[in-house]
Amino acid sequence: MVDETDLVGEAKLVESKDELDNDQTADTVFSLRVNLPHEPYRIQIMVALVPRCYFRAQSLNVPQVSHQEQMQDVRQSIVEFPGTFQYSCFHLEHNGERINDYIELSEVNGLSSGSEITLVEDPYTEKEARLHVVRIRELIGAAGDRTDMLHGISAGLSLHDVVAAPQHKAASNGQPTTGETADAHAMSNYDFESPGSFSTLLPPVQPPPPKTIKSISLSPWNPPPHYLRQKGHLIYLQVTTNEGEQHQITSHVTGFYVNKSTNSRFDPFPKPAPKTHAAHSLLSVISSLSPLFVSSFPQLLEYNNQKDPMATFQLTNTIPSNPWLVAPSTSPLHTHHSDITRTQENYLMSGQEHVELLRDWNEEFQSTRELPRETVQERLFRDRLTSKLFADYNECAARGALLVARGEVAPLNPTESRDAQIFLYNNVFFSYGADGVGTFAAEGGDEAARVATGKDVKGVKAVNDLDIPGLFTPGTVVVDYLGKRLVGQSIVPGIFKQRDPGENQIDYGGVEGRDVVAEHEGFVPVFEKLSKSARVKRHPVWDKEGKRHDLEGSVETKGLLGTDGRKYVLDLYRITPLDVNWLEECWVGKADVVEASANKSHHGPYPHRMAVLRPELVEAFWKVKLKNWVNEELDRRRQAKKAKGELETGGTPTNESDAEIAETKTNGAKADKTDEKMATNHNSEKPELEQERIDVSNFYFALNPDVFAGQVPQTDGEKAEWAQDEKDVGEVCDYLRSTIIPEFIHDLDEGDLGYPMDGESLSRLMHKRGINIRYLGKIAALARAQGRRVESVNILAIQEMISRGFKHVANRYLRYLPAPFAAECIAHLLNCLLGTGLNANPVVEIDDTLRSIYPEADLGFEKVTPESLKHEVELQVRRRYRYDLDEEWVPKIRHVQLLREIALKMGLQLEAKEYYFLDKPATPVDPEGTIVNGVAKSAVANGNPTTTKKKKRSGSPTSSIGSGSSKPPVTFTAEDIMNIVPVIKDSTPKSALAEEALEGGRISIMQNQKEVGQELLLESLSLHEQIYGILHPEVSRVYNQLSLLYYQLEEKSAAVELARKAVIVSERTIGIDSAETVLNYLNLGLFEHANGNTKSALAYIKHALELWKIIYGPGHPDSITTINNAAVMLQHIKEFHESRLWFEASLVVCEKTYDRQSIHTATLLFQLAQALALDNDSKGAVNRMRECYNIFLNELGAKDRNTKEAETWLEQLTQNAVSIAKHAKDVQARKLRRINLTPHVTLAMRPQPQVGQSSADAANGTSGSDPRSSIGLDSRSIDELMKFIEGSDASKTTPKKRPGRNNPKRRGGGSIGGS
């Protein structure tokens, strides 16, 4: 039976009743017995007294929940348990008293180990009946496929079960691995140079699930007439069984029964005996009607059990990820079935009047925020409700935004211009992210408005994370769809209220720009807390009449006192100061953009004036200021002590070296930089200095967010204060350019930071350091100047600028374009950017019928040419990032990687097929060839034969080139754009409670408090699962972090289990090819190897490498470590020749990244030499070890232990090589003598090579014996010994480099551990 899950985590099970009796389990769980009204009449539930992660799933006999959870979680466990599927409308009783579903188990009076609770079936309401029908349809596989605009095609896809090695599956099922499966491994004949295959991102076609029933739908006799509704009739159903029989079923308050109605006669009363079929559950009624259902339903459960449960559960607390490549429409993966109930589901889920969908979002948000949070349980309940509420709101707002963008919702102000129109849908207020009313006219117009909405949602999220009591924010979501940006907000009570004459619409902050400023004493305390957290000071601003107003926060940040009495903060797009250096260089006000941009040497004006500093930068600079202040305080105290000592003793001043040592310690400089003798002499001084404590509450530094924003101080004192504020902001801007950005490049160059894989990971890394995306051009220039170590960063930065520039160009054409033209527009623009190698002059094709029905549509994209698009992209990159692309940047495009970046940024879902970016191949493409990045590969890719069945897709085309068409071929067609999904930015806060437990666990482990640390980590995991649900990006990240911590604690099995969950959850919520998913797969492979499942580990690593090829392409710097890890794993399973090839492949990547004479190269050469020795290539081993020794000698010196160890190994390998060469000569001489005596054997015959030995070596008589079996040590020098060895070096691979290995002793586990 399938693993089951309650609402907040995976149900953990115990193996048997005996297992519950052991001492360890008895201390951590107790059992509850649930009495049922029907078979099996009783089940047992295990209640954990500690977080549920202490237990592991062993079998499927008993569901388990946590002692801290609510009774509704027990309900959900019963509903999901295989033996009690039929129950959905019931309550639980204990000692004859009904138990409230929303109290914790620990609060139930008298509930203890061995207690009995009773399940009592409740009468149905119409809502309960409808939801019961929906659940049964999903449970028995009758729900069919759903078409959802928000979730897209293959939303929430996971490939983990496909990637898992067969022997891993067999082992998990308790089956031995024998024969070919046991001997094979995933890395056989792996091709490092082949481009990534799109098939990596597609799930295989699976056999269809067993069909249990033909259909369950609403009967045409719905709804019940009034007189029958009074008698308890709720809804009428129509069921067709696999036997072909049709039954009409009545849903009554007492349950379900088969009635006497037909398609033409209405008689909704029960059939007489013996044809009476009635039960409280619809599942029981169907079971009594259809013998085929009884036999096929267990088969369906077994079919579903083949997948990991986490890969099939519905996502309830987050929007699933949408893959950018999907199977063709003709694929069996997307078969569209006939299902009349699909159109009836809206009624089944939300009722006839749709009243259940209408929620007062703002009241729910603010009521949740006002919940008590004194105890841990109160905080848990509050955070859990908040997470669910935000998830529901985000999905509702995103759906509404799609309808607004498609013109499905009527505006509230239809007479206004299009950009100024506002909408209301499902109690969510929508507006366009454009300057429809001229608010941002002086800041850049539509460009400024678009940026402001994006920064506003981030500001709302920041305030939500701060969770300041008494300060409220509206629910905010930003949706980008079809070139439009829409903002969805919950309706703040009073925001549309007409104020009395003389009253302002806003109670605090700027009312009409900066001309009118309002003040309200009630907002000062809450805004003060916000300003303190944002490192912003209370400062003066002046209205148009020159009157001074002192505000907390920017004048653009507004406070509104709602009619509900709550204080709301609005317009949080400028909570930090402006980047004055950038604006002084790039913003020229209302200058002529076209004229300024026409000159190539001039970048032109920046599109808007909303260039603000990131909060991470402000926080980093504040810490620098704090550090300097602490140093000054320490220095002042030392000077005071020194002066006091002179007065008391009259002696000479303390040696200056004392202060130098103290300053070195305070500044955090490395101790080894201080003279050792001086450190020894003054060792007694250090404890006293280290014990000094500084009260940092006396430190104050804050910025004025309104400097350089048009404010005009009036008095001399105000001008002086303003000048100091401008100086402080200028220092932060200088700090960004002079310190943060160069350190960012330096850290990447030194390997202190993991190299980003794609644009998303690069952007996230920059944001973490406080660097805005507008500095991509500077990042690219510095990376190019730094050298080839950070060449990948330069490549990614340029690619990111091009993709973002293309997005802005495409959005301009899509913004007012009717939705039916979107696919043609996008396909044409992609052809002009990526398809010029195939067709230099692509022409768009538009249906004349569509053209005629939209006579006013702006089809300007038709006129776009590759040259004009190239110019537009270059202009966008110059204006936005101050970077000049090379003249020949188009031929240098990495087509697949750039296509992926564009698709992710614009929400495109493309058909996964072969796209030709270059000229059509001269030879016809094999229709059964493997699909790779624009290259037709043979049926064997990376050693994995592709069967005919895998490639047959019901006649789907293999490329965009039409074989029988006379029209010029193009790379993309409108049919390739399978779907467009929205790109959503939300303001969901993180749970501080879960983060505190996680951080506490980390700190405890760092302090060697292992037991306490593990308990806190488990508590954190339990909190994350309860608050977010198991399928959430935050839970994926905590799974990954905990797996790493457990791996370090030698809890390898737990590390594997957590890493597996991290992979599945990240695939479904972040993306199947996201950078996080790749890293999770690499970690899972590492932990599987450590746990003894090396072949499974290799399968995971291979999949990660294939994803890497699609995300970045071959040769990513971090892949050096991954390839090296795979080589070590291959050695572990005695695949010595394969291991050698992988070590050599890592050297190839090293050569492109590091200098040949670097320590990284030497360390990898050390490992390669050992691999060559294991592969019986003694000559190559000696040569590689010699190269390693020379590098260590030059870089580290002869006394370094790495150099000494390399020298020792070189001597041993040389002795072995001499012994092998002598033995080979003796063997060859004996063979020649045998040939003279035996004329039947000719010299043309070659002996059969041994395992791990090449044919050439065998022909030359090279022995396959162990190279370590030397006869004796030779007294000659190494040079003389090398001259003795005959033949040239068999290995011609040039030495390359490998990062992160300074110690050759870490050649085994050390290599793996560095991943």
Side-chain angles (χ1 to χ4, degrees), residues 1049-1061:
L1049 294 172
E1050 299 296 327
E1051 299 281 350
K1052 297 176 182 177
S1053 297
V1056 168
E1057 180 69 15
L1058 290 168
R1060 182 187 63 82
K1061 291 183 178 182

Side-chain angles (χ1 to χ4, degrees), residues 133 136-137 140 142 212-220 236-242 244-250 256 258 263 282 285-287 289-290 293:
V133 172
I136 296 301
R137 272 172 46 83
I140 66 177
T212 61
I213 199 167
K214 287 189 176 180
S215 69
I216 300 180
S217 62
L218 291 172
S219 170
Y236 301 128
L237 304 174
Q238 185 171 286
V239 174
T240 304
T241 63
N242 282 346
E245 299 175 355
Q246 187 181 89
H247 303 275
Q248 299 281 344
I249 296 179
T250 296
F256 295 81
V258 178
N263 289 334
L282 179 60
V285 174
I286 297 174
S287 299
L289 287 174
S290 173
F293 174 83

Side-chain angles (χ1 to χ4, degrees), residues 1 4 33-45 60-63 73-90 92 119 121 124 132 135-136 139 280-281 283-284 297 301:
M1 306 298 282
E4 298 303 328
R33 290 192 294 272
V34 182
N35 297 323
L36 308 173
H38 309 290
E39 290 186 359
Y41 297 112
R42 177 176 291 181
I43 63 171
Q44 192 175 30
I45 294 180
L60 296 163
N61 297 332
V62 186
D73 300 315
V74 177
R75 281 180 53 94
Q76 191 66 20
S77 296
I78 295 173
V79 168
E80 298 289 348
F81 188 55
T84 53
F85 276 148
Q86 68 268 31
Y87 300 106
S88 68
C89 183
F90 62 90
L92 299 173
L119 186 149
E121 294 174 335
Y124 284 98
H132 182 79
R135 166 170 166 70
I136 296 301
L139 181 64
H280 191 266
S281 171
L283 184 68
S284 301
F297 184 55
L301 296 180

Side-chain angles (χ1 to χ4, degrees), residues 340-387:
I340 187 63
T341 319
R342 189 185 298 118
T343 58
Q344 303 169 348
E345 282 192 341
N346 283 337
Y347 162 71
L348 288 172
M349 292 181 177
S350 56
Q352 189 171 0
E353 304 297 332
H354 289 263
V355 177
E356 296 164 27
L357 291 179
L358 298 178
R359 300 167 61 177
D360 188 343
W361 294 109
N362 188 76
E363 182 60 31
E364 289 191 49
F365 276 125
Q366 315 319 335
S367 298
T368 303
R369 191 180 297 274
E370 291 173 334
L371 288 173
R373 44 181 160 177
E374 300 299 326
T375 66
V376 172
Q377 296 306 319
E378 289 176 347
R379 293 179 64 186
L380 172 60
F381 178 76
R382 182 175 180 269
D383 288 357
R384 186 174 178 179
L385 189 58
T386 299
S387 176

Side-chain angles (χ1 to χ4, degrees), residues 1102-1124:
K1102 178 183 177 181
H1103 182 70
L1105 289 173
E1106 290 299 307
L1107 291 177
W1108 227 326
K1109 289 181 179 180
I1110 295 174
I1111 296 174
Y1112 177 84
H1116 189 275
D1118 282 348
S1119 66
I1120 299 171
T1121 303
T1122 301
I1123 296 173
N1124 193 61

Side-chain angles (χ1 to χ4, degrees), residues 357-362 364-365 389-390 392-402 404 409-410 412 422-431 474-479 486-492 496:
L357 291 179
L358 298 178
R359 300 167 61 177
D360 188 343
W361 294 109
N362 188 76
E364 289 191 49
F365 276 125
L389 179 59
F390 270 95
D392 292 345
Y393 174 78
N394 294 340
E395 182 166 344
C396 177
R399 291 186 187 279
L402 262 64
V404 171
V409 181
L412 299 178
I422 56 178
F423 306 84
L424 185 65
Y425 183 80
N426 274 352
N427 281 339
V428 180
F429 174 71
F430 294 97
S431 60
T476 307
V477 170
V478 170
V479 178
L486 288 125
V487 184
Q489 293 182 307
S490 60
I491 304 173
V492 176
F496 296 120

